[in-house]
Amino acid sequence: MQPPAGLEEDGNKVWRLRKGLYGLSQASRLFFKHLAARLKEFGFVAATSDECVFVLRKGTSVLIFCTVVDDILQVGNDPELLQEAFAYLRKFYTVTDDGP
């Protein structure tokens, strides 16, 4: 890693990263924190038994998202609500649907 142009480098100082970089140990934790915040904004609630499981209830519709690092397994009884949730997530992330 190189310092930005014009920055004088002092050999006695350490750089502090202010964001996660892909491949670092903190990256998946920071991504999950960001994803969880977006899901909660949409109306999902984290399950009490597992913080990686999110549940959304709207009337008779139920969506359950199970997250593993950067993958989501979704289960639900309302395809329109599912599409609405993914349209919301597409505002923040590149979302692909790998099918059943």
Side-chain angles (χ1 to χ4, degrees):
M1 190 169 186
Q2 299 296 321
L7 180 69
E8 292 183 23
E9 197 170 354
D10 181 0
N12 296 324
K13 293 188 179 181
V14 179
W15 291 14
R16 177 178 174 208
L17 290 175
R18 296 190 181 263
K19 65 179 186 174
L21 297 177
Y22 183 80
L24 294 181
S25 60
Q26 304 92 346
S28 59
R29 181 179 53 82
L30 292 173
F31 174 75
F32 174 77
K33 186 176 176 182
H34 191 265
L35 176 64
R38 301 294 82 76
L39 290 174
K40 289 176 183 177
E41 284 175 3
F42 189 76
F44 281 87
V45 177
T48 56
S49 59
D50 188 341
E51 66 180 17
C52 295
V53 176
F54 295 86
V55 179
L56 174 66
R57 290 182 176 95
K58 281 192 176 180
T60 59
S61 300
V62 178
L63 288 183
I64 301 171
F65 280 13
C66 301
T67 62
V68 179
V69 187
D70 60 353
D71 291 324
I72 298 175
L73 171 67
Q74 73 272 358
V75 178
N77 64 353
D78 186 343
E80 290 179 12
L81 184 57
L82 181 63
Q83 291 304 316
E84 189 179 325
F86 275 107
Y88 177 77
L89 290 176
R90 282 187 183 96
K91 293 178 183 178
F92 307 100
Y93 311 108
T94 302
V95 177
T96 58
D97 184 359
D98 294 338

